[in-house]
Amino acid sequence: SGGALKPLPSSGPKSLREMPHPLATSSSEEMGPPLTPSPDLLLPRSIADKDLSLPNGTPVDTSSPASSSSLLNRLQLDDDLDVETRDLFVTVDDPKKHVCTMETYITYRVTTKTTRAEFDLPEYSVRRRYQDFDWLRNKLEESQPTHLIPPLPEKFVVKGVVDRFSEEFVETRRKALDKFLKRITDHPVLSFNEHFSVFLTAKDLNAYKKQGIALLSKMGESVKYVTGGYKLRSRPLEFAAIGDYLDTFSLKLGTIDRIAQRIIKEQLEYLVELREYGPVYSTWGGLEVELSEPLEGVSACIGNCCTALEELSEDMTEDFLPVLREYILYAESMKNVLKKRDQVQAEYEAKLEAVALKREDRPKVPTDVEKCQDRVECFNADLKADMERWQNNKRQDFRQLLMGMADKNIQYYEKVCVT
């Protein structure tokens, strides 16, 4: 379409807004106030300053609550409102082991309940294995490159677990896969993706896989085939703030993850010693009649400590570590989207400069430049919206996680306390 382009904000040695725009109708066009970096790493100012609202339009108060209980009440209220407006529910359960001649693998039941008109039935139940979930994520990345795609748990390694067919491993993975689908279900764009619908409803997913690489959306193609020949001067300040935050967040969370794993390892080593320690007192009590009662008491106390420590270690392994790993992977996914955004903006800057150098009077905006600008604006809007949604989820998840782990530690010390 014809008309004047509105230049996008850019930073660097020379901002695009400082360049005379050969396609603009007026050289004195107001460009708006310059972006400023946020002093608060936790949330870019552009996100923090605007009024947040739930998918149903209910405004969200982002101020700090007076107490943890008031925050939990608010979260509960938000959850209730969300349930009322949701029209798609997905669960992952019932893992089953399949032993074939060539391989052994686990499948999970994926149950979908919906009132959406796009679905032919109100309920579906299919079985999927890990590689099917991986196929879905790849398809979402291809077709929705401007959006943050939730991460999957690592394919082969869950640290501390050797047997990938063990009950503990399978249950940990089931929870992660269930959360993966729920993240997609709650997304206002990803939940309507055609590949997601196929994943939820198709009895034979292999038939779709054998069709080869499906045609990407126009946005997907344009992002996929950016050659990297364009170099971005510098990220706009609000996206630079997001990048800095993600780097710091990944570093700190990675440190917490390593320390937590070391603590669990030391707890399990201590537990082995403790289990050998208790029976010694019981045996000793059988030889010393006069000391039998106190020695049996010590043995029982040690046994109680073993049980409590085992429960605490299981809670950390099954509930604490998976959340840390999910958000470490989540940060990497967000960084990848940010890089794609940078590539598209670099392409736009290069094309805009090329047009400026030609110094030709054109009645219409070059189509490729206009489309490139649309892609940048789409990336900016989608990335900021997904960052906002991710921050909201992160605050809720980590508050529940840390409060839950505090409760578990309190319970542990109450159980091992000798009165």
Side-chain angles (χ1 to χ4, degrees):
S1 61
L5 282 175
K6 46 181 181 179
L8 295 170
S10 173
S11 56
K14 185 175 182 181
S15 172
L16 284 178
R17 69 181 60 188
E18 298 172 6
M19 298 173 52
H21 200 308
L23 306 175
T25 55
S26 172
S27 59
S28 61
E29 182 179 354
E30 289 297 322
M31 305 305 296
L35 293 169
T36 55
S38 170
D40 183 6
L41 264 182
L42 287 178
L43 198 62
R45 179 174 297 173
S46 62
I47 298 175
D49 281 354
K50 68 179 181 177
D51 296 331
L52 305 183
S53 61
L54 295 173
N56 60 9
T58 304
V60 177
D61 178 16
T62 56
S63 59
S64 299
S67 66
S68 59
S69 60
S70 65
L71 180 130
L72 289 176
N73 289 337
R74 180 201 301 169
L75 297 185
Q76 183 61 50
L77 176 61
D78 292 348
D79 289 343
D80 292 343
L81 289 170
D82 186 50
V83 168
E84 291 178 5
T85 58
R86 286 175 61 186
D87 54 8
L88 182 64
F89 300 86
V90 180
T91 57
V92 178
D93 60 9
D94 189 29
K96 287 185 178 179
K97 185 176 182 180
H98 301 260
V99 180
C100 303
T101 305
M102 301 298 293
E103 62 176 339
T104 300
Y105 59 93
I106 303 291
T107 63
Y108 304 85
R109 181 175 61 189
V110 177
T111 304
T112 304
K113 295 182 179 180
T114 182
T115 57
R116 290 186 180 180
E118 307 90 74
F119 292 86
D120 295 329
L121 301 173
E123 185 170 345
Y124 295 86
S125 180
V126 295
R127 298 204 70 85
R128 299 285 184 253
R129 55 187 297 186
Y130 180 89
Q131 66 180 32
D132 298 329
F133 288 85
D134 193 43
W135 171 86
L136 171 62
R137 190 177 191 283
N138 289 334
K139 287 299 181 184
L140 290 175
E141 279 195 328
E142 288 177 358
S143 56
Q144 311 279 179
T146 64
H147 285 288
L148 172 62
I149 311 302
L152 279 173
E154 290 100 335
K155 184 177 178 75
F156 295 111
V157 179
V158 172
K159 294 181 180 178
V161 178
V162 178
D163 182 10
R164 66 189 183 98
F165 296 112
S166 68
E167 194 172 315
E168 295 81 5
F169 178 91
V170 171
E171 177 58 18
T172 299
R173 172 163 286 182
R174 183 202 66 77
K175 289 180 181 178
L177 296 177
D178 182 75
K179 182 176 286 187
F180 168 72
L181 292 188
K182 281 181 169 55
R183 301 281 197 205
I184 299 173
T185 301
D186 292 339
H187 196 282
V189 176
L190 300 181
S191 64
F192 288 93
N193 185 276
E194 61 178 338
H195 300 298
F196 186 46
S197 298
V198 168
F199 177 88
L200 296 179
T201 62
K203 287 295 182 182
D204 183 14
L205 195 60
N206 289 326
Y208 290 89
K209 292 181 179 180
K210 290 175 182 177
Q211 291 175 1
I213 300 176
L215 291 176
L216 304 179
S217 67
K218 292 182 180 179
M219 174 64 71
E221 283 186 349
S222 60
V223 173
K224 183 175 181 181
Y225 296 111
V226 169
T227 61
Y230 307 105
K231 187 174 182 180
L232 184 68
R233 290 192 188 92
S234 181
R235 280 176 179 161
L237 294 179
E238 62 179 325
F239 294 108
I242 292 176
D244 292 341
Y245 168 74
L246 291 172
D247 289 339
T248 303
F249 178 75
S250 298
L251 180 64
K252 299 301 183 184
L253 211 59
T255 301
I256 294 174
D257 181 52
R258 289 191 299 273
I259 293 174
Q261 290 189 55
R262 188 164 68 243
I263 290 173
I264 292 174
K265 181 175 179 293
E266 292 173 355
Q267 284 179 341
L268 295 177
E269 291 173 350
Y270 174 57
L271 185 59
V272 171
E273 300 291 338
L274 209 56
R275 283 172 174 160
E276 295 179 0
Y277 190 46
V280 173
Y281 284 95
S282 183
T283 304
W284 184 8
L287 300 175
E288 300 276 359
V289 179
E290 295 82 359
L291 297 175
S292 176
E293 186 174 345
L295 290 174
E296 286 292 345
V298 172
S299 179
C301 180
I302 293 174
N304 188 43
C305 289
C306 287
T307 302
L309 183 59
E310 184 176 17
E311 291 175 355
L312 181 63
S313 297
E314 286 178 356
D315 288 332
M316 288 193 68
T317 301
E318 296 174 7
D319 299 328
F320 189 74
L321 288 183
V323 176
L324 296 183
R325 292 302 306 161
E326 181 195 16
Y327 273 93
I328 289 173
L329 296 172
Y330 236 137
E332 292 303 314
S333 297
M334 180 64 83
K335 288 180 185 179
N336 290 335
V337 179
L338 200 56
K339 288 178 182 176
K340 292 176 185 177
R341 194 218 73 86
D342 290 347
Q343 288 179 331
V344 174
Q345 168 138 4
E347 180 186 9
Y348 172 68
E349 288 181 353
K351 290 183 176 181
L352 198 61
E353 290 174 3
V355 172
L357 291 173
K358 289 181 180 180
R359 297 180 179 178
E360 296 178 0
D361 293 330
R362 297 183 178 222
K364 289 188 177 182
V365 174
T367 305
D368 60 334
V369 179
E370 196 173 51
K371 287 182 178 179
C372 196
Q373 182 189 15
D374 290 342
R375 291 200 299 270
V376 178
E377 291 179 338
C378 183
F379 253 111
N380 290 349
D382 290 348
L383 195 150
K384 286 190 285 187
D386 281 358
M387 182 69 179
E388 180 181 303
R389 185 177 296 104
W390 181 72
Q391 288 280 13
N392 289 336
N393 288 338
K394 177 172 64 65
R395 282 192 291 271
Q396 294 182 25
D397 289 347
F398 274 93
R399 181 170 289 274
Q400 292 175 358
L401 176 71
L402 296 175
M403 290 178 68
M405 290 311 301
D407 288 341
K408 295 294 184 182
N409 276 275
I410 291 172
Q411 293 170 14
Y412 166 74
Y413 285 106
E414 286 176 345
K415 291 174 182 177
V416 302
C417 180
V418 178
T419 57

